[in-house]
Amino acid sequence: MPMTAVAKEERSVGQAMLNGLRQRCPHCGKGRMFNKYIKVNHSCENCGTELHHQRADDAPPYFTMLIVLHFAMSGLLTVEQIYSPATWIQLTIWLPVSLVSALWMLPRIKGALIGIQWARQMHGFGGDFT
């Protein structure tokens, strides 16, 4: 008799991503996902879901840079075309905007990626097999 896997529970990817964007547990949406800036809690303080399985690694900084640099370069080129300000003015505007945007987005993007991993039952977030 072949061994069969227990049916996996259906998890909403969209809801898990939204919970991650809010930096909350992908399962219950109430417990905090991060202990510090981007240090993931071992488990959810509300529902007990283990979060240490996550393997976000280099993806959050990559996606953060991709988004922020597209936004910053579009803004820089637009301001250059319309006003043609001095280089120091452009640097004064776009360096702080890029830094603040990246620091704000990084934990949210990491949370969303962990939410996707949880919803897709990747990296140990999956159900038990018999």
Side-chain angles (χ1 to χ4, degrees), residues 19-70:
N19 289 341
L21 284 170
R22 292 177 28 238
Q23 302 173 54
R24 299 292 174 196
C25 171
H27 183 228
C28 69
K30 295 181 179 156
R32 291 182 304 133
M33 185 179 291
F34 300 112
N35 184 17
K36 295 187 179 175
Y37 178 59
I38 56 172
K39 182 173 172 38
V40 179
N41 283 328
H42 183 76
S43 61
C44 175
E45 67 230 11
N46 186 58
C47 68
T49 299
E50 292 183 351
L51 301 171
H52 64 89
H53 301 295
Q54 64 85 22
R55 294 288 177 260
D57 300 329
D58 293 336
Y62 174 78
F63 288 125
T64 300
M65 289 188 309
L66 183 73
I67 294 167
V68 169
L69 291 176
H70 274 86

